[in-house]
Amino acid sequence: MGNGSSIESSKTIFLDINGKEEKIVFSRHCSSRDIHELIATIAAVNRHSTISIKDENGAHISLSPTMPANNQGCPYKVFIKEPNEPQGDSEAFQTVLTQVTEQINRVFKMEELKSELSTRLTTLEKRLEIEGLKVVEIEKCKRDISDIKDQIWNAQKKYTDNSMSDEKKISLKRDVPTYPKYTLSQETVDYVKQPTFDIWHWEPNEMLSLLEHMYHELGLVHEFNMNPITLKRWLLCVQENYRNNPFHNFRHCFCVTQMMYGMIQLCTLWDFVSREDLGILMTAAVCHDLDHPGYNNTYQINARTELAIRYNDISPLENHHCAVAFQIISNPECNIFANVDKDTFKRVRAGITMLILATDMARHAEIMESFKDKFNKGFNFKNKEHLDTLKMVLIKCCDISNEVRPMEVSEPWVDCLLEEYFNQSDREKSEGLPVAPFMDREKVTKPTAQIGFIKFVLIPMFETAANLFPQIDDVMVRPLREAKDRYEEMKSLEDNLKEPGSKA
């Protein structure tokens, strides 16, 4: 793109002011007010005068930098109407002063209200603390305290939006999103179905459009009678509620959802489960890490954070992700399930909650053993318990599937994850909390971080899924084995370089 130096920086206009021809030159970047005052100065009139101009045909011309240029032979006729009151400046100042005074009075009234309510609140709390009140009186005081706090809250909301909680921000009414609708090429439509899909080449708005395409292509918009505009709003609100963490961010959300979409295509899952179940799988993938703070459950529990206390140390992050997901859906403007009946929504909510909670790695062994047991006894796609376990395995596969992708796609994710791990371990050290060795920047390297994880978690899990869907073996298990071999070779090179007298 050029730098704009070829565009003229000024414009010349010829004017007829009281029968005298004048020429003005102004920048294209100046304001209409600047031009107005320039003409007032030339005409020697009050700058608050009303000034209008007409062309030779009597047509009014806008007094702005974009007015059409003319020539000396056809000047614009200038008409000036001076203000009736010579104290125009004083009157304008008085108006502004009045408005400012009103605003100040409102603020003082607000402060007076807060002061009065706070005094009442303090008095009641002291009475409750000091006096031996009867049970009835105590309950009345508690209600009064609650009412006063509500009054302070409601009064303050009228004067500031900054006091709103995160929950309130999530449920605010949204305008129709402005992200552009991309026309996807057939090549992209086919490519997004592949586990090899390179998720690094897409901007946030493009990822939103791809997610929207997936919901339409799988028939979920039709299945749940979704309003397409509501789907857009929901996706945009979901994006806004992923934090900018190194790893657990909106791109990770897209990555997991795209892999789920790819596994549905690879396994032709619609032949085995209902469209409702496909919707549960996709929506759980989209929401599975909402508002992730960048510090895992171990940190939450050891640091006794608000989330750990709220959820009694039981999967605090996953419970939080579920809560945020349904806070968003509880907003009518973002409720993609608004048009389903109560029983369907109950099943959908239970299914999404179950799948998000299954992404807690603390439950990995439990879920995999349950799936293996059901498979060994004869997997039954018509059995709800069997299907639920399969869906939990599928979302677990998708959540930690980066090493299934080509090396140039997967390796940057390792860097992102290690950065998030190191941030946590640095914080744990500064707070005197236990530090996991695989998160300690002084002990872990890229190959040591990945070899054990691929060997003992990823390969066994994907091999187990491949028992039910053999096509997974070539497309997913084989790349995992190749990734393990690559990291082992990388570790071997690192070890050789550390040995005394080794040759590079």
Side-chain angles (χ1 to χ4, degrees):
M1 294 177 65
N3 59 12
S5 59
S6 61
I7 301 176
E8 293 181 22
S9 60
S10 62
K11 180 182 286 189
T12 302
I13 298 293
F14 295 92
L15 303 172
D16 177 354
I17 302 177
N18 297 326
K20 183 180 179 181
E21 188 174 298
E22 299 283 357
K23 180 173 73 172
I24 60 172
V25 179
F26 53 85
S27 166
R28 291 177 179 270
H29 304 291
C30 71
S31 66
S32 299
R33 187 66 190 171
D34 293 334
I35 299 173
H36 182 284
E37 293 191 357
L38 177 60
I39 296 174
T41 301
I42 295 171
V45 297
N46 190 308
R47 63 191 181 93
H48 296 290
S49 301
T50 303
I51 297 176
S52 61
I53 60 175
K54 295 182 181 181
D55 64 12
E56 59 182 348
N57 298 318
H60 286 275
I61 306 297
S62 173
L63 199 64
S64 72
T66 59
M67 72 174 77
N70 60 357
N71 54 52
Q72 192 170 3
C74 301
Y76 293 143
K77 181 72 173 175
V78 177
F79 297 88
I80 299 173
K81 181 180 180 182
E82 296 200 49
N84 295 328
E85 293 292 336
Q87 288 83 24
D89 284 350
S90 176
E91 183 178 343
F93 174 77
Q94 189 62 43
T95 301
V96 172
L97 185 61
T98 302
Q99 293 174 349
V100 171
T101 302
E102 289 176 357
Q103 292 292 329
I104 291 173
N105 287 338
R106 289 176 62 193
V107 172
F108 276 118
K109 286 179 181 178
M110 176 61 193
E111 291 303 318
E112 288 173 5
L113 173 62
K114 288 173 64 178
S115 177
E116 178 190 346
L117 292 175
S118 296
T119 301
R120 289 171 56 196
L121 179 61
T122 302
T123 303
L124 284 169
E125 287 178 332
K126 284 182 178 178
R127 284 186 61 202
L128 191 59
E129 182 180 350
I130 297 173
E131 298 181 16
L133 300 178
K134 296 178 182 178
V135 174
V136 175
E137 292 175 325
I138 290 174
E139 289 303 317
K140 183 177 183 303
C141 278
K142 286 181 177 179
R143 286 196 300 272
D144 288 344
I145 289 171
S146 177
D147 289 343
I148 291 170
K149 287 181 177 179
D150 287 342
Q151 288 180 51
I152 293 175
W153 168 253
N154 292 326
Q156 193 161 346
K157 278 200 301 184
K158 297 178 182 178
Y159 294 91
T160 176
D161 291 328
N162 295 329
S163 60
M164 288 188 298
S165 66
D166 289 340
E167 288 80 2
K168 188 67 178 176
K169 288 177 184 175
I170 287 172
S171 63
L172 285 176
K173 182 178 179 180
R174 299 192 51 78
D175 294 328
V176 177
T178 57
Y179 71 85
K181 172 68 175 176
Y182 292 93
T183 302
L184 305 179
S185 66
Q186 188 59 46
E187 181 183 11
T188 299
V189 168
D190 294 336
Y191 184 35
V192 78
K193 296 177 181 179
Q194 307 301 318
T196 55
F197 186 80
D198 188 345
I199 45 75
W200 294 107
H201 290 168
W202 304 87
E203 296 300 322
N205 284 342
E206 294 172 319
M207 290 188 280
L208 288 167
S209 286
L210 287 169
L211 291 172
E212 188 181 349
H213 163 77
M214 295 175 197
Y215 269 74
H216 282 278
E217 198 274 339
L218 286 174
L220 305 182
V221 175
H222 180 266
E223 172 69 23
F224 297 101
N225 193 20
M226 293 180 188
N227 182 328
I229 298 298
T230 303
L231 176 61
K232 286 176 177 285
R233 285 198 190 97
W234 174 71
L235 287 170
L236 197 68
C237 199
V238 163
Q239 180 197 30
E240 290 178 352
N241 284 284
Y242 271 91
R243 301 193 195 183
N244 293 322
N245 299 313
F247 184 90
H248 290 100
N249 50 41
F250 179 66
R251 191 173 296 275
H252 169 66
C253 152
F254 174 75
C255 185
V256 173
T257 309
Q258 187 276 323
M259 185 61 75
M260 178 66 77
Y261 181 67
M263 290 193 79
I264 290 171
Q265 302 287 337
L266 177 66
C267 303
T268 60
L269 209 57
W270 50 80
D271 291 335
F272 305 95
V273 305
S274 66
R275 294 284 166 186
E276 183 178 300
D277 281 327
L278 295 184
I280 290 170
L281 283 165
M282 290 291 292
T283 306
V286 170
C287 298
H288 83 283
D289 271 333
L290 271 167
D291 197 43
H292 195 296
Y295 301 95
N296 69 11
N297 279 332
T298 301
Y299 173 82
Q300 305 296 326
I301 294 168
N302 288 339
R304 300 177 183 177
T305 65
E306 181 185 345
L307 287 181
I309 293 169
R310 181 183 303 166
Y311 296 112
N312 304 308
D313 295 349
I314 301 171
S315 303
L317 288 181
E318 289 72 24
N319 274 295
H320 179 60
H321 305 325
C322 287
V324 175
F326 285 99
Q327 284 168 9
I328 292 172
I329 289 174
S330 69
N331 178 0
E333 298 296 315
C334 299
N335 187 359
I336 54 174
F337 301 114
N339 296 324
V340 303
D341 58 59
K342 290 182 180 179
D343 290 339
T344 301
F345 182 76
K346 185 177 180 179
R347 291 195 303 271
V348 167
R349 174 165 160 73
I352 291 171
T353 302
M354 175 188 72
L355 295 189
I356 295 178
L357 292 178
T359 62
D360 183 357
M361 286 301 294
R363 297 183 57 202
H364 179 77
E366 164 212 331
I367 292 170
M368 294 311 302
E369 286 304 314
S370 176
F371 182 74
K372 289 175 186 176
D373 180 64
K374 290 174 174 57
F375 178 80
N376 292 334
K377 292 179 179 178
F379 194 87
N380 182 0
F381 282 98
K382 295 182 180 179
N383 184 304
K384 183 180 183 304
E385 286 188 12
H386 288 215
L387 273 181
D388 284 347
T389 309
L390 170 61
K391 287 185 289 184
M392 286 192 280
V393 171
L394 288 175
I395 196 167
K396 284 175 57 59
C397 286
C398 295
D399 188 24
I400 52 178
S401 63
N402 287 325
E403 290 297 344
V404 168
R405 302 181 190 270
M407 181 186 71
E408 61 272 16
V409 180
S410 63
E411 195 164 351
W413 278 119
V414 183
D415 295 323
C416 294
L417 185 60
L418 288 178
E419 182 183 351
E420 198 164 295
Y421 280 174
F422 295 158
N423 288 342
Q424 175 170 323
S425 63
D426 291 345
R427 181 167 180 171
E428 287 169 332
K429 290 175 184 177
S430 70
E431 296 177 359
L433 299 174
V435 178
F438 68 89
M439 287 187 167
D440 193 334
R441 66 171 72 246
E442 298 173 4
K443 297 179 181 179
V444 71
T445 64
K446 192 181 294 187
T448 58
Q450 292 302 97
I451 292 171
F453 187 64
I454 296 172
K455 187 175 181 179
F456 299 111
V457 177
L458 292 181
I459 291 177
M461 180 172 66
F462 277 87
E463 283 179 339
T464 302
N467 289 332
L468 198 59
F469 299 103
Q471 54 270 53
I472 287 177
D473 190 72
D474 186 56
V475 178
M476 296 181 167
V477 178
R478 181 175 55 79
L480 287 174
R481 296 193 183 107
E482 292 171 353
K484 178 182 72 72
D485 293 342
R486 186 173 68 252
Y487 282 113
E488 286 179 340
E489 183 179 349
M490 192 184 301
K491 183 178 185 299
S492 179
L493 289 172
E494 286 182 357
D495 292 343
N496 289 337
L497 290 173
K498 291 177 183 177
E499 291 178 5
S502 63
K503 295 180 180 180

